Amino acid sequence: MAPEEMGKVTQRLRLWFAISSVLFVVVLAISPVKDLRHEWKQYKRAYVRYAESRPDTKRLLADYNPDIDQVWIPEMNVVDRCTTCHQGISKNSLADASVPQPFRAHPPIPHSIVNWGCVICHRGQGPATEVAEAHTTTLAWEQPMLPARFIQGPCGSCHLADRPETPKLNRGRALIDRLHCTGCHRLQNIDRPAMLGPDLSNVGTKVSRAWIYKWLKEPRTIVDADGNTVTNGYLTEEEPRMPFFKLSEDDLRALSGYLSTLRSHPMESSSINAAVLAKWAKNPETVSQGETRFRQMFCSTCHSLAVTRAGETKLIGGNIGPELTKVGSKVNPEWLVGWLRNPAGYLPHTRMPRYGWTDEDLYKVTRYIREQMVDPDLLKGVPALEQASPAEIKRGRELFLEKGCSSCHVIEGVPPQKDFGPDLSALGAKNVSQLDFGQSKIPRTLVSYIQAKLTDPSSVNPSARMPKFNFAAGDLDAITTALLSMTGPPATSALQHQVVPRDTPTFTAAGAFGEVYTRYRCYVCHKFNGYGGDLAPDLSYEGSRAQRAWLISFLKKPQTLRPTLVLRMPEFNMSDKEAATVADYLKMVLQHPAVNPDEANARASTPQLAALGKQLYEVKYQCQSCHTIGSGGGYVGPNLNNAGNWLTPAWMEAWLKNPQALVPGTIEPRRAFTPQEIQALTAYLMTLRHSGPAAAAGRGAQ
Amino acid sequence: MNARLALVMACLFALTATSACRKKSAAPPDPLRRAYDVETDWNDPQKMIPLNYQEAQGKRLFYADCVWCHADSTPAGPSNRSNVTPAPPLMNDGATLNGESDEYLRNIIMLGGSAMGKSAMMPPYGQTIGEKEANQLIAYIRAIAQPPYQPSAKPQSGYPAKQ
């Protein structure tokens, strides 16, 4: 090779060498530059700038660290680097909503971030150091942060017992329980109750085939905004538990045919003399007297009726039992009489009490129901249905099993189906890749999957057997929250130790009291030692609270103690013996340990003491802001006009000392009364006595 | 050769460029959908106010203990407000309550009206609820106030997190 050519090559090589060296340096520099521009470092610097723009810079930067911050709790699998960017999270002065995110302080919550980290509650990817990786779903991470409106879900993964702080979760759990999702699904910590839907063994005696047809076709009970009935009755706040199955015309015919033939035993028939009946029938007041009885018995405490006033239709009444506006057009008359006489004779587990009706009352009330609570259009649009053919009956029975009806409904001789639907006990921890979104266009997240399934199961899977429910938006979020709480067993043993179990109290009432208690279904509204409903006062300590004579007269003729209450204790027509049995049991068994009757009874009350009490009541403490005595006062607390006949002095003293010790969560504020003030107030309250018929009746029964 | 050089340079440029520009995060979600709970604006039933955990607990306590006297309708129907004198301020009455300090509100809630030289009809709650709950109530009172409550030493807002 010629030397000049050699020189050229060398020159070229040199040039190449120079260029590649420069490139090499540039490439080397990429990494530190990239590192400097890391998202989290930008937030770190922005925080310093922000802190410097505020007067409390020193305090805000006291524990500043230019590197990645993390909460590391190995025993709970927590490696959370969220505080790298959320640097003000525990700085009180950054609590205001005007502080820009991600620097704002976390609102105070019962758990400290140091002990729990963030991800246990919020989910997301704790160790991530990039905004998208930490918050959203990425290829490598399938558990994005929960939208904050579902944040109560994770509370429920450890707190299996309901807490007052998490109303949405509690509501969701209650709905899941009430709607009997457990009929088909296995769910964490919610047991399958003994009875789900009504027993259908005898449904043929209750309703016609046409009604069954209509119900299966449109189980919704809705009235539209103009007051026009759309389907079977009225929209109640409570979702009817019977969901909407999309059934074909043939299916409707077959199922209604099959069900209408179910008559396992005849209803108890009445044995009233025909002449007596004829006499009652002639009474022109029968229907209006029936209505009066219906009101007096306070049926509306459990059942609602639609009332139209000034063009607006509203449901008035409780929701323990079904809405009754049109029940007269629904049920067979013989069934109605038999049911009212003894509900358990038709449905052994019903919550409906067995009233002590006289035959005449029963006659009037059923006449009222059959003549006034009706709707001639109830069965509009139902085709003419004759006696069911054997083929229809056979097909109906097959359908009953195919559709999973026997998951919720019992029919004698038909085996129950358990776990008909998929197991949902760990749904809340599912990864997106474990969910089948089918052809649907919804966002690929667990939350949207759950909500789409709940809103319309067939939107995700066109052949889903799951029926359609019709949830209000708030309830949809509540149920989603509760489902998100079901994440299966805790991931680590440290978390396992945090689990607060759910307790399921039971109360067994034995002997003569047990019979009365079961007959009148006291537990549907009242609680006894933690077991029972919460519509009416907790009776666990009623024996310490009320005087025996008052209890008896109240049971015989309940009056309301709180004028603001719409829902009242029904009048059961209890016998004297039953009322005495209840009163004796309450006085003997349902006592509060902190209420000592002997001590209070031994204290002598003097007129001076009572006068001092009156003074305290009216001037110093102004109790009249909530309680009524005479005709003046507030109506937040009970009316005290008859306190001297109603309450025991021992209860009053203990109550005034510390109301929450006797009834946790009562709204009566606890005061710092001196012992002398307590005695004076008690002495005054004991002088307040009605001398009306109620008190006399009470004394008579004793 | 020049083409090759250009190619290498282009690749390098692309590399730095992609690392520099980042995915822009989506628009901030609706605050109501991110809230722990919501409360209807008492003066405007169409408007919802988002509540954080603290404020939501205050709402729960309010509807248990205070609604009877400090609102015109209650969960049980009629209000007791007309039975007490003087008529207590509605709990969202910003014109009255925004001017009061947290300290004062905490005191009247905990110690009652008579301890603060006000009507004894405002009961003391200090033995029934704790300071934590009183603060939750105050947070709720501040959240629902109309006109809205503005804390006195308000730090500047709208500071950009990124340059």
Side-chain angles (χ1 to χ4, degrees):
Chain A
M1 202 187 280
E4 63 272 26
E5 226 174 290
M6 254 317 249
K8 247 190 195 163
V9 169
T10 322
Q11 215 180 340
R12 267 216 337 253
L13 272 180
R14 275 213 191 105
L15 181 69
W16 266 114
F17 184 72
I19 292 176
S20 49
S21 307
V22 170
L23 280 182
F24 183 67
V25 170
V26 168
V27 169
L28 271 187
I30 289 176
S31 166
V33 167
K34 235 173 113 180
D35 191 49
L36 212 66
R37 296 188 53 85
H38 254 315
E39 224 173 1
W40 63 267
K41 287 201 170 159
Q42 298 184 29
Y43 282 111
K44 282 270 168 195
R45 290 193 293 268
Y47 178 72
V48 174
R49 285 196 303 278
Y50 177 64
E52 281 164 354
S53 76
R54 290 174 52 101
D56 52 351
T57 313
K58 249 222 186 97
R59 200 139 31 89
L60 293 182
L61 293 182
D63 54 357
Y64 177 76
N65 157 29
D67 294 323
I68 288 177
D69 292 311
Q70 75 177 13
V71 178
W72 183 45
I73 311 167
E75 54 297 1
M76 293 206 277
N77 268 352
V78 168
V79 187
D80 289 358
R81 299 185 170 155
C82 316
T83 47
T84 305
C85 299
H86 293 279
Q87 293 168 86
I89 203 144
S90 42
K91 303 234 160 28
N92 291 338
S93 63
L94 298 184
D96 191 76
S98 64
V99 175
Q101 285 293 31
F103 306 141
R104 203 176 303 154
H106 199 288
I109 45 162
H111 295 299
S112 95
I113 293 157
V114 182
N115 298 334
W116 292 89
C118 310
V119 165
I120 285 183
C121 301
H122 288 278
R123 306 208 181 154
Q125 188 180 176
T129 53
E130 282 175 33
V131 175
E133 286 281 342
H135 297 91
T136 60
T137 310
T138 62
L139 275 181
W141 190 260
E142 299 206 354
Q143 300 258 343
M145 277 184 68
L146 282 181
R149 67 187 207 278
F150 301 113
I151 196 72
Q152 297 174 29
C155 305
S157 302
C158 295
H159 296 277
L160 305 185
D162 286 354
R163 297 208 41 109
E165 291 89 345
T166 55
K168 200 181 273 181
L169 172 67
N170 304 349
R171 166 112 185 116
R173 282 172 168 164
L175 278 168
I176 287 180
D177 193 19
R178 194 146 8 112
L179 298 171
H180 296 327
C181 306
T182 41
C184 294
H185 297 285
R186 192 174 294 219
L187 291 161
Q188 203 181 2
N189 304 308
I190 297 192
D191 294 331
R192 194 186 147 91
M195 192 192 79
L196 298 151
D199 182 329
L200 299 179
S201 309
N202 204 13
V203 73
T205 62
K206 177 179 179 184
V207 289
S208 66
R209 183 176 175 193
W211 188 87
I212 298 175
Y213 177 98
K214 179 92 180 191
W215 172 255
L216 290 172
K217 191 168 177 193
E218 295 159 351
R220 285 282 99 57
T221 52
I222 291 175
V223 68
D224 69 14
D226 302 328
N228 301 317
T229 312
V230 184
T231 55
N232 273 347
Y234 290 91
L235 179 69
T236 62
E237 232 168 69
E238 298 299 306
E239 175 68 8
R241 270 157 275 182
M242 170 82 178
F244 177 58
F245 292 85
K246 289 178 185 155
L247 297 170
S248 69
E249 180 64 25
D250 285 346
D251 291 353
L252 288 168
R253 281 177 179 268
L255 271 169
S256 63
Y258 167 59
L259 294 173
S260 66
T261 60
L262 299 173
R263 290 158 190 269
S264 59
H265 58 278
M267 292 299 281
E268 209 178 302
S269 64
S270 67
S271 52
I272 302 165
N273 184 312
V276 177
L277 262 181
K279 199 182 106 216
W280 291 341
K282 275 207 217 84
N283 175 4
E285 306 278 278
T286 297
V287 171
S288 67
Q289 286 172 353
E291 178 170 4
T292 310
R293 287 309 278 154
F294 187 88
R295 295 194 188 292
Q296 281 171 345
M297 301 294 233
F298 271 104
C299 306
S300 58
T301 294
C302 296
H303 297 283
S304 58
L305 293 179
V307 178
T308 308
R309 275 199 209 115
E312 203 188 333
T313 304
K314 254 197 186 158
L315 280 181
I316 299 200
N319 54 23
I320 288 182
E323 176 267 314
L324 293 182
T325 319
K326 298 168 175 188
V327 74
S329 303
K330 168 184 171 184
V331 299
N332 298 333
E334 310 78 58
W335 178 90
L336 180 59
V337 177
W339 166 261
L340 290 177
R341 199 186 291 277
N342 180 14
Y346 177 76
L347 276 187
H349 297 287
T350 180
R351 294 188 288 177
M352 169 100 169
R354 184 175 174 184
Y355 284 71
W357 303 97
T358 63
D359 284 342
E360 190 175 355
D361 275 345
L362 196 56
Y363 176 77
K364 288 176 180 164
V365 167
T366 49
R367 276 281 300 276
Y368 163 63
I369 293 175
R370 282 168 43 208
E371 288 173 34
Q372 299 291 311
M373 291 154 75
V374 290
D375 176 7
D377 294 338
L378 185 67
L379 299 183
K380 218 158 107 186
V382 177
L385 297 165
E386 290 98 50
Q387 197 77 22
S389 70
E392 279 175 336
I393 296 175
K394 183 164 166 283
R395 178 71 193 129
R397 198 186 142 101
E398 282 165 16
L399 275 170
F400 192 80
L401 294 173
E402 263 170 44
K403 300 275 173 193
C405 308
S406 62
S407 298
C408 289
H409 293 284
V410 174
I411 292 180
E412 271 168 35
V414 178
Q417 294 162 303
K418 275 195 186 172
D419 301 331
F420 187 72
D423 182 343
L424 301 183
S425 48
L427 178 68
K430 282 244 157 77
N431 281 330
V432 175
S433 56
Q434 293 172 286
L435 307 171
D436 181 4
F437 285 89
Q439 300 297 313
S440 70
K441 298 268 182 298
I442 54 173
R444 297 307 196 240
T445 65
L446 180 58
V447 166
S448 69
Y449 175 83
I450 292 177
Q451 298 217 317
K453 269 279 190 191
L454 289 170
T455 320
D456 182 3
S458 61
S459 72
V460 180
N461 169 10
S463 61
R465 286 179 303 185
M466 168 144 162
K468 194 173 160 181
F469 292 83
N470 218 351
F471 302 114
D475 288 350
L476 184 65
D477 278 3
I479 295 180
T480 309
T481 302
L483 289 173
L484 287 169
S485 78
M486 296 176 191
T487 47
T492 68
S493 61
L495 275 172
Q496 174 71 52
H497 288 308
Q498 305 291 342
V499 169
V500 186
R502 202 181 178 83
D503 58 340
T504 37
T506 52
F507 173 78
T508 32
F513 171 73
E515 273 168 39
V516 185
Y517 170 89
T518 313
R519 168 169 186 165
Y520 296 110
R521 308 284 197 243
C522 311
Y523 55 86
V524 171
C525 300
H526 294 282
K527 262 201 179 55
F528 296 83
N529 295 342
Y531 174 78
D534 46 18
L535 186 68
D538 187 328
L539 296 183
S540 307
Y541 305 124
E542 189 63 15
S544 296
R545 174 162 44 205
Q547 299 176 25
R548 182 178 183 276
W550 179 88
L551 279 172
I552 291 176
S553 74
F554 184 84
L555 289 167
K556 300 267 309 164
K557 188 139 191 63
Q559 333 90 24
T560 178
L561 296 163
R562 290 175 181 74
T564 48
L565 290 186
V566 190
L567 309 178
R568 303 194 180 168
M569 166 101 166
E571 193 177 317
F572 293 114
N573 292 343
M574 267 191 199
S575 70
D576 288 347
K577 189 160 162 262
E578 285 173 329
T581 305
V582 175
D584 285 336
Y585 184 88
L586 295 181
K587 289 300 296 177
M588 236 152 28
V589 180
L590 299 177
Q591 290 273 355
H592 195 284
V595 181
N596 182 349
D598 301 336
E599 219 175 273
N601 290 343
R603 265 194 267 287
S605 160
T606 61
Q608 290 83 349
L609 200 58
L612 173 64
K614 187 166 166 33
Q615 172 85 8
L616 291 170
Y617 180 98
E618 287 172 0
V619 183
K620 181 159 181 198
Y621 294 112
Q622 307 205 359
C623 313
Q624 67 272 28
S625 60
C626 291
H627 295 280
T628 295
I629 293 178
S631 57
Y635 34 61
V636 180
N639 182 318
L640 296 175
N641 271 323
N642 198 24
N645 281 327
W646 165 33
L647 298 166
T648 65
W651 178 269
M652 284 185 200
E653 289 194 1
W655 179 265
L656 291 169
K657 204 148 115 205
N658 185 353
Q660 281 73 27
L662 302 187
V663 177
T666 177
I667 63 171
E668 167 100 56
R670 182 178 172 195
R671 312 272 188 142
F673 295 128
T674 66
Q676 202 221 356
E677 285 177 331
I678 289 180
Q679 281 171 38
L681 281 165
T682 305
Y684 170 55
L685 293 176
M686 288 307 293
T687 65
L688 305 172
R689 287 165 199 259
H690 270 322
S691 47
R699 269 195 289 283
Q702 201 163 28
Chain B
M1 188 219 83
N2 268 346
R4 244 193 281 162
L5 188 68
L7 198 76
V8 173
M9 293 305 275
C11 284
L12 277 173
F13 182 74
L15 211 80
T16 30
T18 43
S19 67
C21 79
R22 300 232 164 235
K23 272 175 274 166
K24 278 266 174 290
S25 48
D30 177 0
L32 286 179
R33 294 177 67 81
R34 293 175 18 151
Y36 189 87
D37 197 358
V38 293
E39 170 72 317
T40 319
D41 185 333
W42 293 15
N43 298 354
D44 176 5
Q46 301 303 316
K47 212 179 125 212
M48 294 302 224
I49 301 169
L51 303 180
N52 66 24
Y53 175 83
Q54 172 93 335
E55 295 153 354
Q57 299 313 317
K59 170 180 164 185
R60 172 173 63 84
L61 294 164
F62 172 81
Y63 279 100
D65 290 330
C66 324
V67 64
W68 318 105
C69 300
H70 285 282
D72 278 332
S73 67
T74 71
S79 158
N80 192 44
R81 190 162 168 248
S82 52
N83 292 326
V84 286
T85 43
L90 292 176
M91 209 88 279
N92 76 332
D93 177 0
T96 310
L97 297 171
N98 285 350
E100 308 289 6
S101 66
D102 287 3
E103 180 72 31
Y104 167 81
L105 294 183
R106 201 160 28 245
N107 280 337
I108 195 163
I109 295 172
M110 303 286 276
L111 307 173
S114 52
M116 302 300 289
K118 293 255 180 169
S119 161
M121 290 215 168
M122 167 67 202
Y125 282 91
Q127 311 244 337
T128 317
I129 62 176
E131 186 155 338
K132 189 180 96 200
E133 284 84 6
N135 288 337
Q136 291 172 342
L137 277 164
I138 296 169
Y140 171 73
I141 295 173
R142 300 309 196 192
I144 62 165
Q146 281 311 335
Y149 173 70
Q150 311 282 347
S152 45
K154 191 173 166 296
Q156 70 185 99
S157 58
Y159 187 86
K162 286 200 212 179
Q163 280 172 310

